Amino acid sequence: MKSQLWIEWLRKQPNAALRLFCFHYAGGTAQRAHQWAKQLDQDVELCAIELPGRGKRFMEPAYTNLEQLLNDLIPVIKPLLEEKPFVFFGHSMGALVSYELSRRLQHEHQLRPQMLFVSGHAAPHIPRQSVIHQLPHQQFWDRLLQLNGTPKDILQHPELVELLTPILRADFAVCETFGYTNTIVLDCPMVVYGGLDDPSVAAAELELWRSHTSNACEIELMPGDHFYLHNPSQHELTKHVNQHIQALVRSVTSLA
């Protein structure tokens, strides 16, 4: 029953060779990944993680701590990871969640994604230059608008702002209170994506992800800012992800 809360099945393929899990960004929802369903290889199941505080889980309190989030998520997602090979894709906050989840799974459960796709987030060992979740109200929203993922006219709707602010603050707290430790290096391949004009994540900060896996790590820059994945670059991104997934599917099926 818990899996029905945590996981949104955007495409079920019982005989699929691979399962892709998507992790949303701060303030996002699982449904943001629905457009991928028509664009990905047909031999892939598509699932999205739905965190409390949004979507069908709107009435639940949002997490403010990554460790507690993972403590609750792992028992729910683990049975689905044991059924068939899987990959993770996460953008921004979702990148950090999927990365730390991958480390916990590798260390504690000997489970590894076939590939980890992370997007729009600096390498996790880089100290944060600013803490957004504690900013005063106006400064908090000014910073969000700079990222270009929130419509500028949202401030004309006070009731909506009041609704979204605690969720966004909680999500940023998840990222900004995360304490990196270098005890676990992933051994799965990684692909790291970022926007060429992202004001919050520099290309050099994406390059530093290479030190977080002992396997191959590919860096790809896409046209656009922090939310490049919602502009026309979305098609370039899904095309690129799909190429990797098709290769993984061929590899998995050849071993079956």
Side-chain angles (χ1 to χ4, degrees), residues 242-254:
N242 207 34
Q243 288 172 345
H244 279 287
I245 285 179
Q246 287 171 343
L248 289 171
V249 167
R250 289 194 295 269
S251 174
V252 167
T253 53
S254 69

Side-chain angles (χ1 to χ4, degrees), residues 96-251:
L96 183 62
V97 174
S98 59
Y99 161 73
E100 192 63 11
L101 172 61
S102 297
R103 294 211 302 171
R104 289 271 301 266
L105 290 169
Q106 176 178 301
H107 179 65
E108 298 171 9
H109 304 285
Q110 294 73 56
L111 286 168
R112 298 164 180 80
Q114 297 292 307
M115 185 167 284
L116 173 62
F117 299 95
V118 294
S119 168
H121 198 290
H125 67 279
I126 300 175
R128 284 192 166 270
Q129 299 301 312
S130 61
V131 178
I132 297 174
H133 79 276
Q134 294 179 334
L135 289 174
H137 181 80
Q138 189 57 53
Q139 293 179 38
F140 177 75
W141 277 96
D142 287 346
R143 186 70 182 89
L144 289 182
L145 294 175
Q146 288 174 13
L147 295 175
N148 206 29
T150 307
K152 290 181 171 56
D153 62 355
I154 195 171
L155 295 180
Q156 306 302 316
H157 305 278
E159 69 287 350
L160 189 54
V161 170
E162 184 179 357
L163 204 64
L164 292 176
T165 298
I167 300 167
L168 286 161
R169 284 192 185 276
D171 285 355
F172 275 98
V174 166
C175 299
E176 294 171 349
T177 60
F178 168 69
Y180 172 73
T181 61
N182 62 357
T183 54
I184 305 165
V185 176
L186 291 172
D187 57 17
C188 63
M190 292 180 62
V191 183
V192 180
Y193 297 102
L196 280 165
D197 302 312
D198 188 339
S200 63
V201 185
E205 295 176 315
L206 298 174
E207 286 285 342
L208 293 176
W209 274 101
R210 296 186 189 278
S211 66
H212 292 274
T213 179
S214 60
N215 211 308
C217 183
E218 179 182 339
I219 314 295
E220 293 290 335
L221 293 174
M222 300 285 176
D225 54 27
H226 187 68
F227 286 96
Y228 73 91
L229 69 172
H230 290 327
N231 65 20
S233 299
Q234 170 201 323
H235 302 294
E236 184 178 346
L237 171 65
T238 51
K239 179 180 177 182
H240 195 273
V241 170
N242 207 34
Q243 288 172 345
H244 279 287
I245 285 179
Q246 287 171 343
L248 289 171
V249 167
R250 289 194 295 269
S251 174

